[in-house]
Amino acid sequence: MEQPLISIVLTTFNSEDTIFDVLDAILRQDIGLKNIELIVVDGGSKDGTLKIVNEFLRKYEALFYRTKVITHDKNYGLSKARNDGIKASNGRFILILDDDIVMNPSTLRILLEFLEKSPRNVVAVMPLCVKYPEGTMDRWYRIINEGRISHASAVTNCVLIRREVFEKIGFYDETLGLPFTMGEEIEFAARAKSKGYRTLIIGFEKVLHIMDKKLWREKKIIQQASFKSQVKMINVVRISENVVVAIRSLRNPSYRYAYKRYLASLPTLDKLKWYMYLIAFLSTVLSVMLLCISSLLSISHQFAVTVSISLVMNLTLYIGTLMEYWNPKALRASLAYSAVALVWRMLRSTMLLLPASVRKSAN
């Protein structure tokens, strides 16, 4: 048999609320399924995920080039699941697909056409993920990237990759990845970038990223009117929860370990940026302290130089961040998202000052 054109590596874990919709979207792709190899890697699901997968394959496997199910006895992590699927695949291109991504019928075809026409240093392409439910930051990010081509900082969720890139830079880092740590997708992207490779987001092709699987299930059984009000309430709660989780993650040794693995894989200039974020954060804290002291002692003029340097540094970094997310058609979203992104980067940079535990590979 000839080599399949695309191998879909679909990783699953306790996803009975979404997996049928994910599989059904694969079935509806407007590209010949005989060119598609479907490999499902399950991380020891305890719900009905595997039953749904096996029923789907019994019914439709004849439509595909080949299908295969790999089952782990427990959850060894997302990175190992992806790597095992990649190693078992045969396609010229590999689609990494998560169990909470619902593609449009045109997704595979558009990603493939774009990647085949791209320079060889473009090794991966992604659609724009529209999150469900969509928070404020998610909406800003979507508005900024809609309808344009942008650079991706992560290789994740739904991404079509040239097979040879794994031979050049290796696989996903198995010491990283859910449920143990975060960051395997940004570390892989950093490693690729260090080799001169690029990953692009195609903003004119969108997929649905289901952030709340329970809410997705309930959506199908409640009225649309009540559902809209429910989503608004959930979004308010979700924003608060995300802020708390983000701040707490800075104290997590596993998160710090993942961040430092990512930093080690970055090109030198990108590493220097993170040290600049750290210096800017420390100078900001110092400036606030000096301003408090000066207001108490009425000697504000003595600290003017220090405060001015801090302001210039922060403004310079903000302009650099704004250039990454600049879209003149989405001015407010660009300005706001860049400001939040810079603050978060400065906070994350403090992990450079703290030790991190080392986690062994899932193998």
Side-chain angles (χ1 to χ4, degrees), residues 179-192:
F180 311 112
T181 74
M182 301 176 69
E184 83 290 341
E185 73 286 354
I186 60 173
E187 190 280 331
F188 186 91
R191 220 180 325 140

Side-chain angles (χ1 to χ4, degrees), residues 23 87 110 113 169 175 183 210 265-266 270 307 326 362:
L23 290 167
K87 293 171 185 177
I110 289 178
E113 290 175 352
I169 71 170
T175 67
I210 303 168
S265 298
L266 280 172
D270 291 274
V307 174
W326 178 249

